[in-house]
Amino acid sequence: MDCVTAKEYLSAYCDGELSTELASQVRDHIAGCRDCCDELASFKKLSALFDDSTVPSPPGGLWANIEKTMA
């Protein structure tokens, strides 16, 4: 696998969304490629930031206001 192909799959690899065979190919490439390894580390950091973030609850009556605007 080359870097162009590996980089297409890094996000899915990070999220565990690849087939066993494809994940193995990406893992083998990452083991020997510092650039792709660094990019995977960036995906992992971004994922950790999202895991640590909170999503605020929408304000009460939001959908009612949206429906009024659409009418």
Side-chain angles (χ1 to χ4, degrees):
M1 179 172 290
D2 62 14
C3 289
V4 173
T5 305
K7 287 182 180 185
E8 290 178 14
Y9 293 116
L10 286 179
S11 178
Y13 176 81
C14 183
D15 294 337
E17 299 171 346
L18 298 180
S19 68
T20 303
E21 181 180 339
L22 192 51
S24 177
Q25 291 174 18
V26 173
R27 185 174 35 257
D28 290 346
H29 176 79
I30 292 167
C33 180
R34 186 69 195 156
D35 187 44
C36 289
C37 185
D38 289 345
E39 192 159 335
L40 178 61
S42 294
F43 277 111
K44 289 180 178 180
K45 287 178 187 175
L46 183 60
S47 183
L49 288 172
F50 277 112
D51 288 344
D52 292 342
S53 66
T54 58
V55 177
S57 298
L62 175 66
W63 287 114
N65 290 336
I66 291 172
E67 288 174 346
K68 283 184 205 175
T69 304
M70 294 175 68

